[in-house]
Amino acid sequence: MINCHQWDRAKFFYDLLNDDHLPQMRLTHIYRQASDSSIIPLAQRINTGEVDEDFFAPTPANKYARRQFVPAQATNVTTMVGKILQLYQNQHQQQLMDMQVLTPFHAGPSGTIALNQSLQALLNPPTATKPEWAVNEQQVLRVGDKVMQTVNDADRNVFNGDVGIIKTLEGNSVTNGDSKAKFSLKMTVDFDGQEVEYERPSQALALQLAYCMTIHKSQGSQSPVVVIPLLAEQFRKLGQRDTILHRNLLYTAVTRTSRALVMLGSPAAFVACAQSPTVYRATSLGERLLAVWDETNENQATPGQAKNKLSSETLSEPSRLTPALVEAQAIDPLIGMDGIKPGGE
């Protein structure tokens, strides 16, 4: 199944489905949610743009089951996200792998960079004995961190987008590791029960913190608890033509959850995003499909009519293969095989 309301790369399939002449089936049931979930009507209304601020941030705040809205600004968004995850950890016994923060961008106060650094410090702080490895000046990985593989590695059966927890860190380049070790780095990551070893720093560079990831990266995944920060400032700094903040992005984000959804930031930002129609890449595939269909219909004739129509074409070798030529059996099945014998003789 292809959700053709998502990314430019799916525009090919979107154009195909826009042609009513092609057989197709549209799937509308959301299997991640129970039939009485409030997230299903939320996703459906986002898809149509029929939303207002009260629908995202209702009064009372617990009006809709399984989804909540928390007001936040750029100055406190990282703190608020951290408090929400701690709440689910402490009161609902959710593990790190059961909670996922999704955001549109890498940069900014609600981007992946700032949120991953903040959440790592809060949920997996350094200790005097916990091993950790400095990836670069901006990022440190330590035992217990939630990380994502960012490149495909078929030899070790781990792929771009896989998420896991660091279980071990060893080596002479590891803080709180063995400085006398004969190797620089060895790391083990548990990807949903499959332990993968990283035996060189070059391999470990494929990992990045995954407490928070972009909505784009989350496609195809799901999590029991999803937290989505969206700020009004993200719209004011970006022109409509430049931003990716359209309803397809928000639809993808809210449908990643299987149990609970927390949206935080500005209700106006969520409304603006849901009311921004998807901007598709301009292609000519739809027009070309229609032209081919029309030409095929014109050439649909009885065998006798087709032969009469093609009488002038068959007098000389045809310059272009058409459906009508094939139906009239006007094409030699051995065309282009002159001089070729079995066995290559």
Side-chain angles (χ1 to χ4, degrees):
M1 179 183 69
I2 298 293
N3 183 346
C4 294
H5 290 286
Q6 292 192 7
W7 313 105
D8 280 351
R9 68 185 64 181
K11 184 60 165 62
F12 170 75
F13 297 99
Y14 181 79
D15 286 339
L16 291 179
L17 291 176
N18 262 348
D19 190 336
D20 294 334
H21 302 112
L22 297 175
Q24 57 186 264
M25 179 180 293
R26 295 183 180 268
L27 307 181
T28 58
H29 185 80
I30 301 175
Y31 285 92
R32 286 191 180 95
Q33 305 296 329
S35 59
D36 60 347
S37 170
S38 66
I39 297 171
I40 292 177
L42 171 66
Q44 292 170 338
R45 287 181 61 172
I46 288 173
N47 240 357
T48 61
E50 298 174 356
V51 296
D52 54 29
E53 292 188 21
D54 184 65
F55 185 62
F56 282 109
T59 302
N62 61 351
K63 178 178 180 179
Y64 299 110
R66 299 189 180 274
R67 70 175 173 95
Q68 198 92 7
F69 190 92
V70 178
Q73 294 80 41
T75 54
N76 68 350
V77 63
T78 55
T79 301
M80 296 301 295
V81 170
K83 288 182 177 180
I84 291 168
L85 295 190
Q86 284 186 316
L87 175 70
Y88 276 98
Q89 271 191 328
N90 299 332
Q91 295 191 17
H92 301 283
Q93 291 73 53
Q94 297 296 307
Q95 304 299 313
L96 282 179
M97 290 295 290
D98 296 329
M99 304 181 294
Q100 188 60 59
V101 182
L102 301 179
T103 184
F105 305 112
H106 290 294
S110 63
T112 61
I113 298 173
L115 282 171
N116 272 321
Q117 291 176 346
S118 173
L119 293 173
Q120 181 190 44
L122 179 68
L123 303 175
N124 189 34
T127 68
T129 59
K130 186 181 295 184
E132 63 178 41
W133 176 63
V135 181
N136 49 47
E137 293 182 357
Q138 288 76 39
Q139 181 170 256
V140 171
L141 298 180
R142 61 180 62 106
V143 170
D145 272 337
K146 183 178 182 180
V147 293
M148 178 195 297
Q149 175 79 12
T150 60
V151 297
N152 293 327
D153 190 340
D155 292 337
R156 289 180 301 146
N157 196 33
V158 61
F159 301 94
N160 184 15
D162 288 350
V163 176
I165 301 291
I166 297 178
K167 292 299 183 181
T168 65
L169 261 174
E170 302 174 282
N172 56 41
S173 66
V174 175
T175 301
N176 298 324
D178 185 359
S179 60
K180 297 181 180 180
K182 296 182 179 180
F183 52 89
S184 174
L185 175 73
K186 286 185 180 180
M187 180 189 304
T188 304
V189 180
D190 182 354
F191 291 100
D192 195 24
Q194 174 193 350
E195 292 195 349
V196 176
E197 293 187 354
Y198 295 78
E199 299 177 340
R200 297 186 301 275
S202 59
Q203 294 177 338
L205 288 175
L207 295 170
Q208 66 181 31
L209 293 174
Y211 299 97
C212 176
M213 69 175 71
T214 62
I215 299 171
H216 174 83
K217 205 72 171 179
S218 73
Q219 291 182 94
S221 68
Q222 71 175 35
S223 181
V225 179
V226 168
V227 179
I228 307 169
L230 196 58
L231 304 174
E233 289 85 349
Q234 293 170 312
F235 284 87
R236 288 198 288 267
K237 292 180 181 179
L238 293 169
Q240 180 68 17
R241 293 183 179 179
D242 300 323
T243 184
I244 61 171
L245 294 174
H246 301 298
R247 66 176 59 139
N248 58 320
L249 192 77
L250 187 55
Y251 176 89
T252 299
V254 302
T255 54
R256 295 311 92 192
T257 180
S258 60
R259 189 176 306 162
L261 172 67
V262 179
M263 298 172 285
L264 77 158
S266 164
F270 281 86
V271 171
C273 190
Q275 292 182 345
S276 297
T278 303
V279 177
Y280 295 107
R281 179 177 298 169
T283 71
S284 61
L285 178 59
E287 290 79 3
R288 295 177 68 181
L289 286 171
L290 183 59
V292 169
W293 182 262
D294 290 342
E295 181 181 351
T296 302
N297 281 341
E298 291 176 2
N299 292 329
Q300 292 295 330
T302 63
Q305 291 173 325
K307 288 182 180 180
N308 292 334
K309 185 177 180 180
L310 292 169
S311 59
S312 59
E313 293 185 41
T314 54
L315 293 176
S316 60
E317 186 173 339
S319 59
R320 186 165 67 96
L321 180 63
T322 66
L325 284 169
V326 175
E327 291 179 5
Q329 299 182 1
I331 302 300
D332 185 351
L334 297 179
I335 187 170
M337 303 292 288
D338 293 342
I340 298 179
K341 299 180 180 179
E345 297 180 1

